[in-house]
Amino acid sequence: MKIGDILINKGEKKKFTLGNISGTAFCGRNTGKTLVITAGVHGGEYVGIETALRLIKELEAEKLSGNIIICPVLNTDGFYDGVKQISTSDYKNLNREFPGDEKGTSTQRIAFDIEKYLYPTADFIVDLHGGDINENLIPLIFFPYGSGEDMKNYVRDIASRMSVNFRVGSYASNGLYSYATKKNIPAMLYERGEHGIWSEDDVLAEKEDIYKLMEMLGIIKDGHDISVNKKQKEIVSVEYVEAECDGLWYPYIKQGQRVKKGELLGVLKNIEGEKLQVVVAKFDADILYYTLSLGVRKKDALIAYGTE
Ligand SMILES: [Zn+2]
């Protein structure tokens, strides 16, 4: 297998750095598909990062039919500085910077290198996220609604066999996974964990799902249960509510809660306690995630809720 100009021999595990990205590649003894696993696009989403690190330790290239490339921390500045969603080097959100720019800011150059080195090798990309330091979230998968019927159906089938209970159709196009689907590479975004913490239970659950994905792609044959998760719901319509101005955010719900049309979900107030924005459910819905921060800036995400 080759990534850029780096050659990895059959049965070999190799660390690599190409441009602004680093990771570990496993070239299977037998040929097959290539799975790319990315994490740390957002530096405070720890379950995905820890899961990626465990997989790097556990996987054995000798036993694979195909290849696996794992980049555990793509936004290293954001990760080591412990900030939410952005890189501290240029204040940009890597998951909004696709397509990248070879001559752009540091985050735009990372996006460019992901496209240049990871996209061409991938038969499937899973990008691991979670609720960030300032978010509560129910585990879910985003998959592409806007990249054609075949892409939607293929990724939906894979998502439907994961342990998370929500899969969310998305029309995004400027993120790592969503832009990949625009380039006809099957991809999805997996979210688990929240609030800037990670737990052993969450890491083990996420790791099992990634092993299932490898099994579905034919890279391993270890007998993981890849039957359809009958509890999983498909969210076809999502309301993403942003703050209309700077303010103090008071949510009245929890992630995973079922709410009725017209129900009060939260209020944005000014420092004097006057209401600036009242958020009410536009339809019966499940709460997918919401912001925990008391102080929020204009345009910050407050809450996302969706319906089947
Ligand atoms: Zn994220």
Side-chain angles (χ1 to χ4, degrees), residues 42 45 129-130 191:
H42 297 141
E45 301 177 358
H129 287 249
E191 304 241 23

Side-chain angles (χ1 to χ4, degrees), residues 206-246:
E206 182 152 329
K207 195 154 62 75
E208 180 59 21
D209 274 338
I210 305 305
Y211 277 122
K212 286 185 193 181
L213 176 57
M214 293 175 202
E215 189 107 23
M216 283 183 253
L217 295 172
I219 298 172
I220 59 171
K221 290 180 188 68
D222 289 348
H224 293 270
D225 177 11
I226 54 170
S227 57
V228 169
N229 173 4
K230 295 204 174 73
K231 284 195 224 149
Q232 194 182 81
K233 282 190 195 178
E234 180 160 326
I235 301 294
V236 301
S237 178
V238 184
E239 190 71 19
Y240 301 94
V241 183
E242 292 181 347
E244 290 167 1
C245 48
D246 293 1

Side-chain angles (χ1 to χ4, degrees), residues 59-108:
L59 287 170
E60 294 174 69
E62 283 287 336
K63 294 184 178 169
L64 305 178
S65 297
N67 312 303
I68 295 175
I69 299 167
I70 304 177
C71 296
V73 188
L74 282 168
N75 167 13
T76 48
D77 286 328
F79 176 66
Y80 289 115
D81 288 330
V83 299
K84 58 187 191 185
Q85 281 105 26
I86 57 160
S87 166
T88 42
S89 60
D90 59 6
Y91 295 93
K92 288 193 183 297
N93 179 341
L94 176 56
N95 216 30
R96 303 279 183 277
E97 293 298 331
F98 286 79
D101 182 351
E102 189 175 13
K103 297 190 169 66
T105 67
S106 56
T107 297
Q108 290 167 332

